């Protein structure tokens, strides 16, 4: 089964073709980061308009890369949520229309399920069951995954997600959007032992997260180190390093608890923050001590992409699922409401 996947949940237009027998055949992506960086964050209306402009050309490009005609596509998968409603509508309406025109089934895919399953695109994928740390945009969640479609929420952020905290800390430090990669780059120049930031909610039991206090601590630390309203380059780097260490330690501590609580020995990390090398190093050390294994997608599949949607959609289509003619766009969509793929 050859599935065309479409991702338009936020500020990246992703298209891919996944074959259930041959694997990933083609993958294309257009990022709107340069456009949104001028405003310090995603502007929903601009995002929607750019998806409209880029989506159909990317679909044509992807078909050409896979050396396929439209008649070779067996189904269409599109991101139905969660995300920006206008951006979702672009992908959902296009995907639904193409499926109808081609006479093939369509299926709306949960964006976070796509991220969760992205490591399955690698040569050495994890086996079920496993624990998943999802750190993407406005989401930070720990999930127990017995199989595709069966998701038990173990813990989540009660306020700011990790990715949001990275972006806000970067903005406080005068860095551009998106902040996560820039914080990591600046932190590499910092003294990680000079400052110590709090590890939120690690001094109590449970698997929930909270990053708003870390954000406030960062703001106060910046204010305390400014001289004549300015931070020195070294202070800026040291604060970035301290922030990154606190965020990474917090995520690592919670992941260790999740593995111990569930008794599982496989951990996957997925979503944009999973590309952070410091986080990967920390989790590798932790799983080694726990005699567990860590899995993650290649860098280009950590952020939003069409490949993860094509793969997730293919698995649900193979299980006999599909969407009706109603165009699905769900800005909010809890994962525990998804249908099991038994």
């Amino acid at each position: 089964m050859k599935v065309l996947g479409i991702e338009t949940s936020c500020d990246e237009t992703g298209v891919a073709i996944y074959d259930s027998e041959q694997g990933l055949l083609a993958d294309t992506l257009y990022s709107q980061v340069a456009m949104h960086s001028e405003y310090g964050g995603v502007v929903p209306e601009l995002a929607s308009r750019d998806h409209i402009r880029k989506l159909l050309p990317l679909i044509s490009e992807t078909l050409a890369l896979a050396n396929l005609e439209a008649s070779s596509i067996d189904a269409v998968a599109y991101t139905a949520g969660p995300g920006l409603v206008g951006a979702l509508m672009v992908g959902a309406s296009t995907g639904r229309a193409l499926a109808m025109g081609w006479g093939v089934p369509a299926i709306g895919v949960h964006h976070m399920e796509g991220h969760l399953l992205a490591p399955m695109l690698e040569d050495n994928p994890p086996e079920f069951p496993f624990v998943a740390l999802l750190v993407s945009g406005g989401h930070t969640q720990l999930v127990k995954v017995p199989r595709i479609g069966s998701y038990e929420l173990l813990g989540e952020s009660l306020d700011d997600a990790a990715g949001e905290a990275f972006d806000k800390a970067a903005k406080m430090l005068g860095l551009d959007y998106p902040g996560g990669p820039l914080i990591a780059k600046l932190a590499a120049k910092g003294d990680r032992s000079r400052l110590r930031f709090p590890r939120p909610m690690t001094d109590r039991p449970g698997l929930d997260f909270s990053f708003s206090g870390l954000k406030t601590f960062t703001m106060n630390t910046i204010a305390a180190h400014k001289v004549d309203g300015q931070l020195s380059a070294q202070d800026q780097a040291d604060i970035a390093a301290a922030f990154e260490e606190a965020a990474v330690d917090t995520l690592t501590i919670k992941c260790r608890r999740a593995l111990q609580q569930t008794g599982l020995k496989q951990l996957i990390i997925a979503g944009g923050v999973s590309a952070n090398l410091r986080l990967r190093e920390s989790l590798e050390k932790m799983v080694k001590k726990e005699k567990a294994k860590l899995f993650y997608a290649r860098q280009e599949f950590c952020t939003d992409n069409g490949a993860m949607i094509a793969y997730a959609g293919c698995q649900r289509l193979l299980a006999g699922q599909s969407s009706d003619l109603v165009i699905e766009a769900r800005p909010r969509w809890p994962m525990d409401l998804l249908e099991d793929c038994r």
Side-chain angles (χ1 to χ4, degrees), residues 147-195:
R147 59 190 169 274
I148 295 177
S150 177
Y151 306 120
E152 178 187 341
L153 182 64
L154 302 174
E156 63 183 338
S157 179
L158 303 179
D159 40 58
D160 286 358
E164 291 173 323
F166 268 95
D167 285 342
K168 290 176 181 177
K171 191 170 185 178
M172 294 176 203
L173 288 167
L175 305 177
D176 288 336
Y177 171 88
L182 298 177
I183 283 274
K185 185 177 181 180
L186 183 60
K189 303 175 184 178
D191 179 355
R192 296 182 183 275
S193 63
R194 179 186 167 197
L195 301 170

Side-chain angles (χ1 to χ4, degrees), residues 13 43 48 62 71 93 103 128 130 142 167 212 220 230 239 331 337:
T13 312
V43 181
S48 302
T62 307
S71 58
S93 57
F128 296 99
F130 54 74
L142 276 166
D167 285 342
S212 63
N220 292 337
Q230 297 292 324
I239 291 170
L337 296 181

